[in-house]
Amino acid sequence: MLQLYIGNKNYSSWSMRAWVLLRQAGIPFEEKLIRFDGFDSQSEFKRTMTAISPTGTVPLLRDGDISVWDSLAIAEYAAEQFPDKQLWPQDKAARASARSICAEMHGGFTALRSACPMNIEADLAEVGRIVWRDNAAVRKNVERLCSMWSHLLAQHGGPMLFDQFSIADAYYAPVCSRFKTYQLPVPGEIAAYIERVHQLPGVKAWIDAALAEQDFVAVDEPYRAER
């Protein structure tokens, strides 16, 4: 069986992408949760992951002797190994678009990711209002996301970005979580998409587990001193 190494569900957005993809697609895997306790070389997390991954980060997928240590590479590997799951859109043009927006997420939206780190359990609406007021780069990131999602939902008819659930929806699920945590303002159609993503069984399972963790990791809490 596949093994997927992840970090804390409350905080680890990159882990969420791979986990949600496999869970929502019905691909069996064994979860290996490595708790965050810090990211320096002496932390238990870093020592554990460095021993099994060349990057020392999560997520990491292991399939027998094969290791895949990047979230987008994991998505591609799953799509290749389980073609019947149709994880990418079947239409060539739609597939190219889906790959492009996943790559854009992989390397972009740094302002939003930096100012609004994923924290599923927290209510950071007040922080979100300050970020929205003061951070023009975050507003620009959100504008791009809303424009992208609106176009794809209109083009493909919903309910997901490419009609059916795909890697693209798994890839943007942590962003949907950020919108919820920080209550960033979005148009009604975008809010509706965010809600649909949150109701996906795979996403809901991740969120429920994140809420049940009851774990406060100070290094991942720039806005709170306690839970």
Side-chain angles (χ1 to χ4, degrees):
M1 181 180 289
L2 298 175
Q3 292 181 325
L4 182 66
Y5 288 77
I6 63 171
N8 291 56
K9 290 188 174 77
N10 192 51
Y11 305 112
S12 185
S13 58
W14 294 108
S15 296
M16 183 182 184
R17 292 179 171 94
W19 193 99
V20 164
L21 177 64
L22 298 179
R23 178 66 174 264
Q24 184 65 25
I27 298 171
F29 66 96
E30 180 184 2
E31 175 188 306
K32 298 283 191 179
L33 193 152
I34 310 301
R35 180 186 176 273
F36 292 152
D37 65 332
F39 302 105
D40 61 69
S41 61
Q42 299 307 307
S43 68
E44 184 65 25
F45 170 82
K46 187 59 73 172
R47 289 202 304 268
T48 299
M49 291 310 301
T50 299
I52 59 176
S53 169
T55 61
T57 60
V58 289
L60 170 73
L61 183 72
R62 300 187 80 172
D63 183 8
D65 294 333
I66 298 172
S67 293
V68 190
W69 57 86
D70 174 89
S71 59
L72 192 51
I74 290 170
E76 290 283 12
Y77 185 81
E80 182 181 78
Q81 294 299 113
F82 301 94
D84 59 305
K85 301 298 185 180
Q86 298 184 8
L87 300 181
W88 290 117
Q90 296 302 289
D91 176 76
K92 181 179 180 180
R95 189 164 62 252
S97 179
R99 280 193 163 108
S100 295
I101 68 166
C102 287
E104 184 176 353
M105 178 69 254
H106 202 267
F109 303 105
T110 53
L112 177 63
R113 286 158 49 191
S114 176
C116 302
M118 193 174 85
N119 194 330
I120 291 172
E121 175 272 332
D123 178 359
L124 297 174
E126 182 59 33
V127 172
R129 284 190 286 272
I130 295 170
V131 168
W132 187 258
R133 182 193 68 195
D134 296 344
N135 196 320
V138 169
R139 295 196 298 272
K140 185 175 181 180
N141 280 179
V142 172
E143 179 183 5
R144 167 58 187 152
L145 285 163
C146 290
S147 174
M148 174 204 298
W149 291 353
S150 294
H151 171 75
L152 292 170
L153 290 168
Q155 182 179 12
H156 300 286
M160 298 290 106
L161 295 178
F162 294 90
D163 182 17
Q164 303 294 324
F165 172 81
S166 72
I167 290 169
D169 301 295
Y171 233 70
Y172 280 92
V175 178
C176 292
S177 173
R178 285 176 165 92
F179 280 129
K180 285 266 194 180
T181 297
Y182 297 90
Q183 291 295 294
L184 301 178
V186 295
E189 64 178 333
I190 300 303
Y193 169 69
I194 291 170
E195 190 58 36
R196 291 196 297 273
V197 169
H198 273 76
Q199 292 306 313
L200 290 170
V203 175
K204 191 173 186 305
W206 177 277
I207 291 173
D208 289 346
L211 296 176
E213 280 182 344
Q214 297 295 308
D215 197 7
F216 188 88
V217 182
V219 71
D220 284 303
E221 292 278 357
Y223 300 119
R224 303 191 300 177
E226 61 184 11
R227 184 166 183 159

